[in-house]
Amino acid sequence: MLYLMLKLRDRENGKRDLAAYLGSLRNADLFVVSGSGGFSDGTRAWNIAILNTIEDAIHRNIPVALFGQGMGPLTDADVLSRAKKVFPFVNLIALRGGRDGMALLESLGVDSSRVLTTGDEAIELAYEARPAELGQGLGINLRVATYSNVEPYMIERIKLILHEFAMFHSAP
């Protein structure tokens, strides 16, 4: 919160922006941080800012969920100290990779019942839990983000190819 206030102080409409932010937080039913690999040593300022915001939501009794999170490596003493005070009170942390992230969260006092693995390493878990007989469906995940360079025309082209394949093989 302090980081946000300092950042807005120099802006012309900072007070209005801060009031809108505080109003949104005050009226929120849930606070979600989605798809971030930010909890690592390369993003110190973001870590402090988001941990302050999460703590603010927790103090307001707003449930907090972190989805698609990459955790670590994280060795910054200040960030680890803040995370140790905040993360144990987060309602749900869904990791996109669980091995190192889970160890980090455990070291910060996060109860494992609040953590799920939903990303890359979840594929391994799903494979281990697969049924004896495979189904007939077709599924695909396509990462569309600014850094992935996936253009809309590419999506349409892939969509056509996949639909043709699925129809040919009578796959849902």
Side-chain angles (χ1 to χ4, degrees):
M1 178 63 100
L2 179 59
Y3 174 79
L4 179 66
M5 290 170 42
L6 292 173
K7 189 173 180 181
L8 292 175
R9 184 177 65 190
D10 295 331
R11 291 186 44 207
E12 189 174 300
N13 297 315
K15 288 182 182 178
R16 187 184 72 216
D17 292 346
L18 182 59
Y21 165 79
L22 291 172
S24 295
L25 191 58
R26 185 172 35 255
N27 294 312
D29 295 318
L30 174 68
F31 183 80
V32 174
V33 178
S34 180
S36 168
F39 294 106
S40 64
D41 285 327
T43 54
R44 185 180 199 282
W46 181 86
N47 284 320
I48 297 296
I50 200 67
L51 286 166
N52 288 343
T53 305
I54 291 169
E55 184 177 44
D56 194 13
I58 290 167
H59 284 302
R60 294 170 186 265
N61 294 315
I62 299 168
V64 176
L66 310 178
F67 297 118
Q69 298 301 307
M71 292 282 174
L74 187 56
T75 59
D76 183 299
D78 292 333
V79 174
L80 287 168
S81 175
R82 291 289 299 126
K84 196 168 196 167
K85 293 175 184 172
V86 175
F87 277 166
F89 301 99
V90 171
N91 300 83
L92 175 64
I93 301 174
L95 298 173
R96 62 177 177 227
R99 291 184 183 114
D100 296 332
M102 190 63 201
L104 174 60
L105 291 173
E106 286 174 354
S107 76
L108 297 172
V110 177
D111 188 296
S112 62
S113 68
R114 294 175 180 254
V115 182
L116 297 173
T117 301
T118 60
D120 301 339
E121 292 173 11
I123 294 169
E124 187 178 317
L125 297 172
Y127 180 79
E128 290 171 4
R130 72 190 182 282
E133 194 172 312
L134 296 179
Q136 300 299 314
L138 173 67
I140 184 170
N141 176 27
L142 180 63
R143 182 171 299 234
V144 179
T146 54
Y147 60 83
S148 68
N149 295 321
V150 175
E151 301 292 336
Y153 78 90
M154 295 173 184
I155 296 169
E156 288 305 312
R157 195 152 181 219
I158 291 168
K159 184 176 167 183
L160 287 172
I161 293 167
L162 290 172
H163 281 184
E164 285 180 25
F165 179 88
M167 285 178 29
F168 181 80
H169 293 283
S170 300

